[in-house]
Amino acid sequence: MSQEPTRTATPSPSVAAPPPPSPLGTMEPWNLVATGYAAEALPYFQVFAKAALDCLNPGTDARIVDVAAGPGTLSLLAAAAGMRVSAIDFSESMVAAFRERAQRANLMDRIDLRQGDAQQLPFETGAYDAAFSMFGLMFFPDRAAGLRELRRVLRPGKRALISSWVPFDGPFGELLRAAQEVIPGLTLGGGGKPPMTDPEDIVREMTAAGFSSVAVKTVAHELTAPSFDAFWELMQRTNAPLVLIRHRMGEQRWSEVAPGLRERVRGRLPSGPLLIGRGAYFGMATA
Ligand SMILES: C[S@@+](CC[C@H](N)C(=O)[O-])C[C@H]1O[C@@H](n2cnc3c(N)ncnc32)[C@H](O)[C@@H]1O
């Protein structure tokens, strides 16, 4: 992993039209992938969670908030370091995976874990030393509300960090395009540019939420699959949009469509190892 120098950007006065709602802003796909995510995707996300904690460096006795916490990726690292953590996620299965991991690590006594919509936080105002939302707030239908809530819970002068993906179309883009071709009428919403994947947008939105000293850092960390077969298997277990497509079709229809879809995608990708992710943007700002 490498971290490029932090860069700041001037907030743009123009306000972009809101993108269409993404299914990733709903619970359904996250409930479907929680088990595979906790079992297989977690190590990749942990790299960014560790980098985020290093960036804000809240101190081992800090009180922190982890918003859209998933299976506790950042929360458990923070609690293991001694921090007290208030965490929230709206997916029942993600919260169950979080609780299971935290109990196994004997960390629940440092964690206040809630299930709920993080666009409104059930946490105290002005009480926290750092606030994080790793690849979660980016999907909220009302990101402005999510950001205002992050700011509200922070002690004045303390910092928030949100992460989003560095845009990368790659094999997963091919997969979704092929799915649109072979599954007539497939509508997943969320088309167009993914949310918060432009540093200018991150600066503008955090500034509009009342944060100051907003800066965006690029954290480069590649995700690769050793082969097409490994990519296909991983996507079927951990990729929220693909798992949602399969669930909505039902197993019978999926078994009819999947072989053709697989071959279509395979034909468009190079043989050998595949690059499937490049890294993340960290938006950091002071309350
Ligand atoms: C890609 S996962 C990231 C999980 C974790 N932060 C990590 O870094 O591994 C996105 C998470 O956001 C959660 N999420 C999305 N929208 C949410 C909302 N409005 N309120 C609470 N959680 C939400 C999902 O349930 C999912 O667990």
Side-chain angles (χ1 to χ4, degrees):
M1 184 188 66
S2 71
Q3 297 190 14
E4 287 176 11
T6 300
R7 58 187 164 134
T8 54
T10 315
S12 152
S14 62
V15 176
S22 162
L24 302 185
T26 67
M27 271 176 251
E28 190 186 8
W30 302 111
N31 279 332
L32 292 169
V33 295
T35 305
Y37 187 105
E40 291 178 82
L42 203 89
Y44 185 63
F45 285 84
Q46 257 169 348
V47 171
F48 297 109
K50 176 152 191 341
L53 287 165
D54 288 346
C55 278
L56 293 201
N57 193 17
T60 51
D61 58 349
R63 260 187 101 184
I64 71 152
V65 169
D66 184 11
V67 162
T73 317
L74 181 138
S75 292
L76 265 64
L77 292 175
M83 296 174 215
R84 285 160 297 148
V85 179
S86 295
I88 184 167
D89 199 285
F90 67 3
S91 156
E92 195 185 342
S93 308
M94 283 290 191
V95 169
F98 184 134
R99 182 167 291 111
E100 207 263 315
R101 293 182 67 236
Q103 281 169 346
R104 213 176 335 123
N106 213 12
L107 289 171
M108 266 324 265
D109 59 338
R110 295 204 195 120
I111 298 173
D112 172 12
L113 173 60
R114 312 284 183 100
Q115 186 189 344
D117 187 342
Q119 292 169 110
Q120 205 174 354
L121 295 178
F123 303 133
E124 212 179 321
T125 299
Y128 291 88
D129 302 302
F132 299 88
S133 187
M134 305 301 291
F135 313 104
L137 188 145
M138 62 179 288
F139 299 120
F140 292 2
D142 189 350
R143 291 195 298 275
L147 287 168
R148 283 196 302 271
E149 282 291 89
L150 276 193
R151 183 167 162 260
R152 176 183 67 74
V153 300
L154 281 169
R155 290 166 52 203
K158 298 296 180 179
R159 290 199 293 165
L161 187 154
I162 58 166
S163 69
S164 60
W165 298 115
V166 169
F168 178 60
D169 192 37
F172 184 64
E174 292 295 356
L175 174 54
L176 276 193
R177 269 191 294 282
Q180 306 271 1
E181 290 160 17
V182 300
I183 305 164
L186 175 71
T187 50
L188 271 179
K193 197 177 74 166
M196 295 196 120
T197 50
D198 179 341
E200 295 284 336
D201 289 344
I202 299 171
V203 172
R204 179 174 48 74
E205 293 187 30
M206 293 191 93
T207 304
F211 284 103
S212 61
S213 307
V214 184
V216 177
K217 180 196 286 272
T218 305
V219 181
H221 177 62
E222 290 187 347
L223 176 63
T224 52
S227 64
F228 175 79
D229 288 346
F231 163 70
W232 178 257
E233 292 304 318
L234 182 72
M235 292 294 109
Q236 285 195 87
R237 288 190 295 267
T238 65
N239 189 275
L242 187 67
V243 172
L244 185 61
I245 291 170
R246 179 175 178 166
H247 179 73
R248 288 187 180 168
M249 293 179 87
E251 284 307 306
Q252 171 65 32
R253 177 105 176 85
W254 176 253
S255 66
E256 292 159 14
V257 161
L261 175 60
R262 177 193 171 109
E263 285 320 301
R264 192 176 280 245
V265 182
R266 185 202 286 274
R268 293 179 188 175
L269 295 175
S271 57
L274 294 173
L275 178 64
I276 50 183
R278 280 199 193 288
Y281 290 131
F282 284 2
M284 295 170 287
T286 305

